[in-house]
Amino acid sequence: MRAGFELPDWNRLAGQEDDTLPLLGTALLIARDEYPQLDADLYDTLLQSHAEEMRGTVDAIEPLPLKMQAINRHLFEELGYAGNHDEYYDPRNSYLNEVFERRLGNPISLAMVQMEVARRLGLPLDGVSFPGHFLVRLPVDDGVLVMDPFNRGRPLDEDELRQRARPHLGGEMPDDEALYRILNPASHRAMLTRMLRNLHGVYVDRDDWERAVRCADRILKLAPDNAEALRDRGLGYFKLGHRHGARHDLGRYLQLHPQAPDAGTLRERVVELSAGNAKPN
């Protein structure tokens, strides 16, 4: 068995640079909030076994795109990892232990599995915070190979990428420069924040305010001045009746974004909270 895999400390993550922030460890830390008995070493060992099963095959292949093709075939065909199209908003799709156990996930959790295996095999696979579905990218001689982990790692050409981005850009077709910016590699902090925002949205839709607040709080452990997370945690505190926490977070959000579209409504809420008149609705 490999040496024990240690999870990071939530209270130390804000001070870490993006390139040293542990992706797998922090994703499993997110899962441990929901599954306190989670065995992180088990999943690190599982990922390593996925990589070792492929090492001989991948090392024997020269072109990077063909190496990646072999990895995708192993993950999505032989091991059975797949996008959960039937229950896209199931929170288990965002908890990596469940993704490993069920072989089902959403775009960003599957991207993390794909990236971890590829990187252990020497391939510089990165995430892409693409509008809509999260994607991955691999540098190749003539540019980048962009793939969709939610759909078995299928490669996406330039035309399809433009079409996918268009609805999220006000109907405008992105030009070369805009598309290039969209395809920039996502930092580990950005990926983990997006995972937590996905979970936050799921729990808000379910009126599960304790878990929604937990997700916003974890984002703030990664990025203490994340304005959206301050607002979301403040609104969650309000729903839970934690008036002091709500007033503090909403006030801080307004300091950071005094001209935000929702600033007027939230200022009224803060005034009500300060006066002791606000009631959850």
Side-chain angles (χ1 to χ4, degrees), residues 257-275:
H257 279 279
Q259 305 302 321
D262 54 359
T265 301
L266 294 180
R267 282 195 188 93
E268 292 177 2
R269 179 62 51 82
V270 170
V271 170
E272 292 172 356
L273 285 164
S274 299

Side-chain angles (χ1 to χ4, degrees), residues 42-259:
L42 172 68
Y43 300 111
D44 176 60
T45 301
L46 178 64
L47 268 175
Q48 190 64 25
S49 72
H50 289 349
E52 293 304 327
E53 288 167 6
M54 285 295 299
R55 190 170 301 279
T57 300
V58 170
D59 287 349
I61 300 171
E62 189 64 30
L64 284 181
L66 294 183
K67 287 177 182 282
M68 196 67 233
Q69 186 180 74
I71 292 170
N72 286 341
R73 182 168 58 248
H74 183 60
L75 287 175
F76 299 113
E77 295 181 19
E78 297 169 12
L79 295 177
Y81 286 94
N84 193 345
H85 294 264
D86 294 332
E87 295 180 293
Y88 187 85
Y89 296 104
D90 186 330
R92 292 177 295 178
N93 295 331
S94 290
Y95 292 122
L96 274 193
N97 60 318
E98 290 282 7
V99 176
F100 289 128
E101 298 290 349
R102 302 167 70 230
R103 304 290 163 97
L104 284 173
N106 58 23
I108 197 163
S109 63
L110 291 170
M112 288 184 180
V113 173
Q114 196 180 14
M115 288 168 60
E116 282 290 330
V117 171
R119 288 175 174 183
R120 291 174 192 223
L121 291 168
L123 277 71
L125 191 66
D126 284 316
V128 176
S129 287
F130 204 80
H133 280 184
F134 198 85
L135 304 174
V136 295
R137 52 168 278 169
L138 180 72
V140 293
D141 290 339
D142 55 351
V144 292
L145 172 64
V146 181
M147 293 161 284
D148 181 356
F150 193 63
N151 289 289
R152 303 164 69 91
R154 183 171 69 83
L156 304 173
D157 63 25
E158 191 174 304
D159 288 340
E160 184 170 357
L161 290 168
R162 292 184 196 278
Q163 290 295 340
R164 285 190 177 205
R166 185 175 185 176
H168 303 278
L169 301 174
E172 294 290 329
M173 191 73 78
D175 59 20
D176 289 348
E177 184 178 350
L179 186 62
Y180 181 80
R181 286 198 304 270
I182 293 170
L183 293 175
N184 278 338
S187 70
H188 288 184
R189 183 170 271 103
M191 290 183 65
L192 294 160
T193 298
R194 183 160 171 167
M195 172 177 270
L196 285 162
R197 287 207 61 78
N198 287 344
L199 278 167
H200 176 268
V202 167
Y203 290 133
V204 167
D205 287 345
R206 296 179 176 202
D207 288 328
D208 188 341
W209 293 103
E210 288 189 5
R211 285 184 170 88
V213 163
R214 183 181 73 195
C215 293
D217 181 72
R218 292 317 196 191
I219 293 173
L220 292 166
K221 291 292 189 183
L222 293 169
D225 285 333
N226 185 298
E228 281 187 313
L230 278 166
R231 179 200 61 200
D232 292 343
R233 190 174 68 176
L235 291 172
Y237 279 152
F238 177 73
K239 289 285 188 179
L240 293 171
H242 300 326
R243 304 173 61 85
H244 177 75
R247 185 170 66 247
H248 176 275
D249 281 356
L250 296 178
R252 177 66 178 145
Y253 170 75
L254 291 169
Q255 286 179 347
L256 292 171
H257 279 279
Q259 305 302 321

Side-chain angles (χ1 to χ4, degrees), residues 5-11 13 24-41 43 94-98 195-196 199 203 211 214 218:
F5 183 79
E6 293 187 7
L7 293 179
D9 181 343
W10 275 119
N11 294 319
L13 293 177
L24 174 65
T26 309
L28 289 172
L29 200 59
I30 292 169
R32 196 176 66 176
D33 280 336
E34 188 68 17
Y35 303 89
Q37 304 305 314
L38 178 149
D39 182 352
D41 194 47
Y43 300 111
S94 290
Y95 292 122
L96 274 193
N97 60 318
E98 290 282 7
M195 172 177 270
L196 285 162
L199 278 167
Y203 290 133
R211 285 184 170 88
R214 183 181 73 195
R218 292 317 196 191

